Amino acid sequence: MRSHHNYIDVAVAIPVYNTFTYNVPKHLSAMTSIGKRVLVPFGRRSITGYILGSDTGSRHEGVKDVLDILDEQPLFPASMIPFFKWTADYYMHPIGDVIKSALPTGLNLYDFVSIRSSEKGKNALFDNDLTPLEKEILKRLQTGACSLKNLGNNVNKHIPHALIQSMQSRGLIFHQRRLKGGTTRQKIERHVKLIDSDTPKENLSGARKKIVEALKEYGEVPLRKLKTTIPSAPRLIKHLAADGYISIVDKRVYRDPFGEPITADVAHILTKEQKIALAKLMGSVTRKFKTFLLTGVTGSGKTEVYMQLSEKAIARGLSVLVLVPEIALISQMERRFRARFGECVAILHSGLSAGERYDQWVRITRQEVNIAIGTRSAVFAPFTNIGIIIVDEEHDTSYKQESGLRYNARDLAIVRAKLLGGTALLGSATPSVQSYNNVTTKKYTEVTLTERVENRPLPKITIVDLRKSRDIKGIRRFITPKLHDAIETTLKRNEQVLLFLNRRGFASYPVCSACGESQRCKNCDISLTLHRGANAYKCHYCGFTRASASNCAACGSTKIRLLGLGTEKVEDAIKTLFPDARIARMDRDTTKRKGSVIKILKALRNQTIDILVGTQMIAKGHDFPNITLVGIVCADLSLNFPDFRAGERTFQLLAQVAGRAGRGSVPGRVILQTFNPDHFSILSATKQDFLSFFNSEIDARKSLNYPPFSRMVQLKISGKDKKKTQQHAHIVGDLCHFLKQSNRSFFKPIEVLGPIEAPLPKIAKQYRWQILLKGVTVRPLHNFLHTLWFKNRKQISNRHVKVVVDVDPLFMM
């Protein structure tokens, strides 16, 4: 029996819902603390877990020992554990997976089982007692150990587990376990310094004298820097250290994610409205939890309010977390905050390398910074004393994670502020219907900025009816005379132009002239898009590609008509129409490489781009004073989705992109082209009138009992076999209906819609069905979901069909 018992509660980094109790051996006890990773046995494996606290329950039988403590310092503070638990419970996700999603990637260790040939197996290759498959296996293992999966791929045959067990029992092969993972770790850099500055140099060679002189001048120097001036330094410092001239020390350094230095800035003089807003917001900081919605027209100076509010919070010893919806906006926000606050700013987003993200995370845990700026995953930043969480462009759908842990960072920001007793500040010129409804019901407090900074006028918006150009062929159908003339006038004044179209590629609907069939993806129920730059047809859902020279898949004809348009076609046309203009494109195709977004935005800021063509990436939050014209090539693309939020997204996108014009001293102009000039979303965006849009939209939502008048959960059901997927969708649907009918507490509050085939029935070879659960309030809906999910696992689990829970879904496709 153990003489030492130190039980801890551990969440393991695999998709299981429970936490587990482990014993910490005496020799590891001093290193144990909440927030550290541990290596623990789990079944026959060794995996990474996270310490959540001590297990103070009664004595446990058969508890396994922790194998190792993996961190010197905790990766997250104890104050985050209630937040992790709330997130896991609300989004129906395993808590270990929640923590794994929050942490920088590449940290965790897992054991890996490989198969290796024994000496007996190597000798048996020459015997005739083996089957052909056994010979193939042993022949492959001559080159080294590999996993069972890779072994099957190499021999191109299914290998039964029974055969592997038989070969193992006969001594031909054996299993070998080793740890893999843990690829992200701290960066260590070698530094050198003189032991004594008065050291004589007479007996030193020329190169060694240079090293000593450099160290006298600069003090302690990274070897990397010394090597740039003295290439032989790495070899020579060993001799200098052995002779007692210098000392060599390895130091931890942070990888720099920022790039170019920033010129310091000071706080701007606030407008009267900004002063009132700041005073109202500061009144709640450090008192108690409160949520504010900062609304205001585009260009009204919300960012300056964010920064001055942050300054006051930091002065009170609090930390600030700033969320922005996309990496494209990080650069601008980070530049402004660093100019104001210097090196106390960290950034967190997926565009960083794993090492850079890890270093930024560690800077926060060590309390070396008090501001973090990032995209949705930054909501998990490991601060201990957050005073304010700012969610900029709170309406943006990019805050919703669409795979794995399907959380909404905006909603989690409010929860985290509540758990910490802090302030949540949501900001947007076009707030979500959900958030503004919370203002009308007094859940949120509204703070408003009605005027642009320096009384700059809102851009003048002109509607162009595309129905009048239906019969015009070619790109002139979309680059209308009014848009063309406006671009020409703007360029003559040496001002810049944004052209917005929320669809990338060259031709979005290639059709065969011979048989009339559209060129479709072989894995999805969706048309391919021609990308001329890549010389390929591409599927924007699964990534399938086909050469642009391919014949029609249906009839073999070479006559493919390239209908539809995207940003690539618009860019091509603009280059033809304005050959002297400097033109760039900003969409997912041109921003794949690290640093490409910053490069485009820097060129726009330095006015080396005259016309920027782009998707919604150019619509959000950018502030470039020389952009005086915005052309919306086609405003209707998002209106056509079969989704109750289509009108809301259209209004927000159009109002936001229009707001990029006229943010400097020259008034702006917007040309908005549409096939639906009378649609209330487009009319409201034209007038920049959010309240008009909200009043029309909220009435429609109420009549249909859609959010914010109900809460929703979507069950997404998918599988490779069409029939099995449909059958399982009906099994889960019947289970939902039975649970509703058989339980009084669910009968009235819960509405079950479906099962029904998804609007996009097939994506990436997966057939898709869905069930929608609606409830007026959260508690009954989540009770229903917990009963369905945890008490009926055998019926819901299916090896051929996947069922995923999406709480508060944003996309219904």
Side-chain angles (χ1 to χ4, degrees):
M1 295 181 68
R2 294 192 184 101
S3 59
H4 173 82
H5 295 287
N6 181 8
Y7 295 125
I8 57 171
D9 190 28
V10 174
V12 291
I14 56 174
V16 292
Y17 286 90
N18 298 326
T19 59
F20 299 87
T21 301
Y22 285 91
N23 179 65
V24 181
K26 195 170 184 178
H27 69 280
L28 296 177
S29 291
M31 300 168 61
T32 306
S33 60
I34 292 172
K36 286 187 177 183
R37 293 173 302 142
V38 286
L39 188 66
V40 294
F42 195 84
R44 292 184 293 174
R45 307 170 58 190
S46 298
I47 60 175
T48 300
Y50 312 103
I51 302 175
L52 301 185
S54 299
D55 189 325
T56 56
S58 58
R59 183 171 174 174
H60 300 270
E61 295 296 330
V63 173
K64 296 179 180 179
D65 282 349
V66 168
L67 302 175
D68 199 2
I69 307 288
L70 300 177
D71 299 303
E72 293 180 15
Q73 300 292 329
L75 289 174
F76 54 85
S79 59
M80 288 189 71
I81 292 172
F83 179 55
F84 287 141
K85 288 182 176 179
W86 189 97
T87 303
D89 181 66
Y90 186 79
Y91 289 105
M92 298 285 293
H93 202 80
I95 186 168
D97 229 23
V98 169
I99 300 172
K100 180 183 174 183
S101 301
L103 294 174
T105 57
L107 293 176
N108 292 331
L109 295 171
Y110 300 91
D111 70 352
F112 167 74
V113 179
S114 59
I115 299 170
R116 183 179 292 276
S117 175
S118 65
E119 285 299 321
K120 184 178 178 180
K122 291 175 184 178
N123 297 330
L125 264 175
F126 305 101
D127 297 341
N128 295 322
D129 297 336
L130 300 177
T131 66
L133 181 54
E134 287 175 337
K135 282 189 175 182
E136 280 190 67
I137 291 170
L138 290 173
K139 189 175 180 181
R140 163 59 186 85
L141 293 178
Q142 295 300 302
T143 60
C146 71
S147 69
L148 180 59
K149 181 180 178 181
N150 288 338
L151 188 60
N153 291 338
N154 287 328
V155 302
N156 203 24
K157 290 177 184 175
H158 171 68
I159 302 175
H161 281 277
L163 178 61
I164 294 296
Q165 290 171 356
S166 170
M167 294 178 71
Q168 189 175 3
S169 65
R170 286 147 52 199
L172 301 175
I173 60 173
F174 61 91
H175 284 121
Q176 185 179 39
R177 289 182 176 269
R178 57 189 173 88
L179 290 173
K180 69 173 183 176
T183 54
T184 303
R185 51 179 65 93
Q186 63 187 24
K187 183 178 180 180
I188 303 297
E189 196 169 78
R190 184 151 289 182
H191 287 64
V192 293
K193 66 177 181 180
L194 279 178
I195 292 175
D196 185 352
S197 58
D198 296 326
T199 300
K201 299 179 291 182
E202 290 76 16
N203 298 325
L204 297 178
S205 65
R208 295 185 192 187
K209 281 181 182 178
K210 283 185 181 180
I211 293 174
V212 171
E213 287 167 0
L215 295 179
K216 274 187 177 180
E217 183 177 354
Y218 299 113
E220 185 174 290
V221 176
L223 178 58
R224 167 183 47 82
K225 184 177 178 181
L226 200 59
K227 186 181 174 183
T228 58
T229 55
I230 308 167
S232 58
R235 175 174 54 83
L236 297 177
I237 62 168
K238 295 177 184 177
H239 301 293
L240 285 169
D243 294 338
Y245 286 95
I246 65 171
S247 64
I248 303 172
V249 60
D250 289 335
K251 285 191 171 184
R252 174 173 189 158
V253 295
Y254 293 129
R255 286 153 277 221
D256 181 14
F258 292 112
E260 62 183 51
I262 303 294
T263 304
D265 181 29
V266 295
H268 297 180
I269 298 173
L270 298 179
T271 65
K272 184 179 178 181
E273 279 191 330
Q274 287 175 319
K275 287 178 181 176
I276 294 169
L278 185 61
K280 198 171 183 180
L281 293 166
M282 275 308 302
S284 75
V285 175
T286 73
R287 291 185 182 176
K288 60 180 181 178
F289 163 70
K290 197 168 187 178
T291 303
F292 290 92
L293 179 65
L294 177 60
T295 61
V297 295
T298 53
S300 58
K302 289 185 288 294
T303 304
E304 184 62 32
V305 173
Y306 297 159
M307 289 196 290
Q308 296 206 22
L309 182 64
S310 299
E311 185 177 5
K312 294 183 183 300
I314 290 167
R316 297 184 181 186
L318 300 170
S319 300
V320 178
L321 178 57
V322 183
L323 302 184
V324 294
E326 289 192 359
I327 295 172
L329 293 176
I330 286 278
S331 173
Q332 179 173 283
M333 189 70 77
E334 166 249 308
R335 284 178 64 86
R336 294 185 68 174
F337 268 79
R338 281 178 62 214
R340 187 73 52 87
F341 299 102
E343 297 305 311
C344 71
V345 178
I347 58 173
L348 292 169
H349 59 80
S350 59
L352 303 178
S353 69
E356 288 170 343
R357 185 175 170 86
Y358 174 67
D359 284 350
Q360 295 295 300
W361 185 276
V362 170
R363 291 178 72 210
I364 298 170
T365 60
R366 293 185 172 185
Q367 300 181 17
E368 295 174 9
V369 298
N370 44 28
I371 300 173
I373 302 171
T375 47
R376 60 176 175 250
S377 62
V379 75
F380 297 107
F383 284 119
T384 56
N385 61 337
I386 296 177
I388 301 169
I389 303 181
I390 297 167
V391 185
D392 191 33
E393 309 294 354
E394 67 84 25
H395 65 278
D396 201 290
T397 55
S398 298
Y399 284 121
K400 174 70 172 174
Q401 171 74 26
E402 286 299 313
S403 61
L405 172 59
R406 296 168 187 264
Y407 66 96
N408 190 314
R410 178 201 62 196
D411 298 344
L412 282 187
I414 296 168
V415 172
R416 191 163 185 200
K418 185 175 183 178
L419 291 172
L420 295 172
T423 298
L425 173 58
L426 315 182
S428 177
T430 55
S432 63
V433 170
Q434 181 90 32
S435 292
Y436 201 78
N437 187 68
N438 284 335
V439 168
T440 65
T441 58
K442 309 298 182 185
K443 288 182 180 179
Y444 297 171
T445 301
E446 185 179 17
V447 180
T448 307
L449 302 174
T450 60
E451 296 179 354
R452 281 187 158 187
V453 173
E454 297 178 358
N455 292 317
R456 293 169 186 156
L458 286 167
K460 180 184 176 183
I461 301 179
T462 303
I463 292 182
V464 176
D465 189 346
L466 288 175
R467 293 175 297 185
K468 295 178 181 178
S469 59
R470 282 185 191 275
D471 299 330
I472 299 174
K473 293 185 179 180
I475 196 65
R476 289 281 187 179
R477 181 181 176 188
F478 290 97
I479 306 298
T480 60
K482 193 172 284 288
L483 178 57
H484 182 278
D485 292 347
I487 295 172
E488 193 170 54
T489 302
T490 304
L491 294 178
K492 283 179 181 178
R493 295 200 301 253
N494 293 319
E495 294 161 8
Q496 293 169 291
V497 180
L498 281 188
L499 292 180
F500 168 73
L501 179 69
N502 205 24
R503 182 174 286 161
R504 60 193 176 100
F506 187 85
S508 58
Y509 193 65
V511 176
C512 177
S513 297
C515 69
E517 286 291 320
S518 63
Q519 302 307 293
R520 302 182 74 82
C521 174
K522 71 172 186 177
N523 303 323
C524 310
D525 284 330
I526 197 77
S527 295
L528 294 169
T529 297
L530 176 68
H531 289 249
R532 184 169 278 180
N535 286 320
Y537 294 106
K538 291 185 179 182
C539 175
H540 290 173
Y541 284 87
C542 75
F544 170 76
T545 60
R546 204 171 78 204
S548 61
S550 301
N551 297 347
C552 172
C555 71
S557 171
T558 59
K559 297 178 180 179
I560 308 295
R561 293 187 65 196
L562 303 177
L563 304 180
L565 79 162
T567 49
E568 202 175 12
K569 184 181 280 189
V570 171
E571 180 193 26
D572 197 52
I574 292 296
K575 283 180 177 177
T576 303
L577 295 171
F578 301 98
D580 297 328
R582 296 165 296 180
I583 299 162
R585 174 163 52 93
M586 186 172 175
D587 56 28
R588 199 179 299 173
D589 297 319
T590 63
T591 57
K592 287 179 181 176
R593 288 188 177 181
K594 184 179 179 181
S596 56
V597 170
I598 293 173
K599 185 178 179 181
I600 293 170
L601 295 178
K602 183 180 178 181
L604 198 63
R605 185 172 65 249
N606 294 338
Q607 299 180 26
T608 57
I609 293 173
D610 298 316
I611 303 173
L612 180 64
V613 180
T615 56
Q616 63 180 358
M617 295 177 78
I618 69 172
K620 304 172 183 179
H622 300 298
D623 188 2
F624 297 101
N626 200 46
I627 293 173
T628 58
L629 175 67
V630 168
I632 299 172
V633 178
C634 183
D636 311 301
L637 298 182
S638 55
L639 268 180
N640 300 323
F641 283 98
D643 190 325
F644 72 90
R645 291 189 178 94
E648 179 182 3
R649 291 191 186 119
T650 299
F651 167 78
Q652 289 165 344
L653 204 49
L654 298 182
Q656 287 284 338
V657 73
R660 300 314 108 203
R663 297 172 78 95
S665 56
V666 180
R669 186 182 178 193
V670 179
I671 306 296
L672 190 155
Q673 302 183 151
T674 174
F675 289 104
N676 296 279
D678 300 321
H679 194 282
F680 79 94
S681 295
I682 290 174
L683 288 174
S684 299
T686 303
K687 298 172 186 175
Q688 298 274 300
D689 187 352
F690 171 75
L691 282 178
S692 172
F693 165 77
F694 176 79
N695 291 331
S696 298
E697 180 72 9
I698 203 72
D699 288 343
R701 300 274 185 97
K702 190 172 184 179
S703 64
L704 295 169
N705 194 32
Y706 276 132
F709 299 101
S710 66
R711 306 299 288 263
M712 294 168 51
V713 173
Q714 189 179 30
L715 302 180
K716 299 181 177 183
I717 303 157
S718 59
K720 288 188 176 182
D721 186 287
K722 186 175 183 178
K723 188 175 181 180
K724 287 178 180 177
T725 304
Q726 181 179 355
Q727 287 174 343
H728 194 64
H730 283 285
I731 289 170
V732 177
D734 290 344
L735 192 59
C736 291
H737 287 288
F738 174 78
L739 189 58
K740 171 182 162 67
Q741 297 290 336
S742 62
N743 193 317
R744 283 186 179 182
S745 63
F746 300 144
F747 186 74
K748 285 188 177 180
I750 305 300
E751 188 178 354
V752 179
L753 303 176
I756 190 171
E757 204 170 25
L760 290 175
K762 184 184 176 188
I763 291 180
K765 298 183 180 179
Q766 296 284 320
Y767 294 93
R768 306 165 71 244
W769 284 68
Q770 58 190 31
I771 298 168
L772 198 62
L773 309 176
K774 290 171 67 178
V776 176
T777 55
V778 172
R779 189 177 294 276
L781 183 59
H782 277 259
N783 287 343
F784 180 90
L785 190 59
H786 276 73
T787 304
L788 173 72
W789 196 252
F790 294 116
K791 294 187 178 179
N792 298 276
R793 289 301 295 165
K794 287 184 179 179
Q795 292 162 274
I796 291 176
S797 296
N798 186 300
R799 59 182 296 192
H800 302 292
V801 182
K802 186 179 181 181
V803 182
V804 170
V805 175
D806 190 358
V807 180
D808 301 332
L810 282 187
F811 300 98
M812 312 303 291
M813 299 294 288

